Amino acid sequence: MAAMTHMSSNADGSISEEEIRYYSRRAKGVSMVITAATYVSPEGGLIGGPGADSDELIPGLSKLAAAIQTEGALAVLQIFHAGRQSSKTGDFVSAGNIPENRAGAAIPRELTGPEIYGLIHSYAEAARRAVEAGFDGVEIHGGNGNLLQQFFSPYTNRRSDAFGGSLEKRMTLALSITREVQRVIRDHAYTRGCT
């Protein structure tokens, strides 16, 4: 089952009972369920979406993973940052200050170098929480115009630092996140007997 946005999480990003029921019904008869995009940082979160930005959210994530697995499916947590598309804090950020091409779109703030490294850490921590919650896998969401796509696109990424310019530099953020998530999985999942 592919990830589908449902906007039924609690206001704090914790998993709601409505979500548990939804995934329990959907997991019947499928081999794997990928959750809705789960934010790694509230500034890039969807209102009504699930979060993986705090250890306090692990119990709900664990309940979600178990609900999916009880129906015989593998549970995969999709992690993401919306960038200029959405923010739970009102701080819209992106690779640069290019807004979305729609009426009323917020003008995002260009992320600083230290903030970008902080986001890489946020993705890694979200992956650790997924492991601790018992998920079978993690999917890094990089499409649909979210932050990783904003860094990849030469239209939205006009930076001249290590994260912008050439194709290789525009890929730096996504590749750095991938490496850190893989490291977390090696360090945490394999020691727990997960694969």
Side-chain angles (χ1 to χ4, degrees):
M1 178 184 132
M4 289 185 267
T5 304
H6 52 68
M7 310 308 276
S8 60
S9 299
N10 295 317
D12 65 355
S14 61
I15 302 300
S16 69
E17 289 303 316
E18 182 181 4
E19 273 177 286
I20 299 295
R21 290 190 300 273
Y22 169 82
Y23 281 106
S24 292
R25 287 191 312 268
R26 300 301 300 247
K28 289 178 171 60
V30 300
S31 60
M32 182 173 71
V33 172
I34 302 171
T35 68
T38 304
Y39 61 83
V40 302
S41 172
E43 94 218 339
L46 295 173
I47 296 179
D53 62 308
S54 162
D55 285 353
E56 287 74 33
L57 299 174
I58 293 173
L61 292 168
S62 183
K63 190 173 178 182
L64 174 59
I68 293 167
Q69 293 160 343
T70 295
E71 299 302 332
L74 296 174
V76 175
L77 187 71
Q78 184 186 80
I79 57 176
F80 95 121
H81 188 292
R84 69 183 186 164
Q85 293 180 324
S86 180
S87 175
K88 290 185 70 169
T89 66
D91 184 18
F92 290 82
V93 298
S94 185
N97 63 357
I98 310 296
E100 288 189 282
N101 188 16
R102 62 175 172 80
I107 298 174
R109 179 177 61 78
E110 182 176 302
L111 285 161
T112 66
E115 287 176 317
I116 293 169
Y117 289 109
L119 275 174
I120 294 167
H121 178 73
S122 294
Y123 273 87
E125 283 292 284
R128 176 188 58 80
R129 292 180 185 107
V131 170
E132 291 184 15
F135 279 88
D136 300 295
V138 173
E139 179 181 77
I140 302 167
H141 184 15
N144 300 93
N146 71 33
L147 185 68
L148 296 186
Q149 188 171 352
Q150 292 162 36
F151 267 81
F152 184 73
S153 169
Y155 175 73
T156 49
N157 185 346
R158 301 177 188 181
R159 304 173 72 99
S160 58
D161 63 3
F163 296 96
S166 68
L167 173 63
E168 291 77 14
K169 287 183 175 183
R170 294 193 319 271
M171 291 172 56
T172 300
L173 178 60
L175 292 174
S176 298
I177 288 168
T178 301
R179 281 191 292 273
E180 278 301 291
V181 167
Q182 289 174 332
R183 180 191 60 76
V184 164
I185 290 168
R186 280 192 308 272
D187 292 350
H188 295 277
Y190 294 144
T191 60
R192 292 171 46 103
C194 303
T195 54

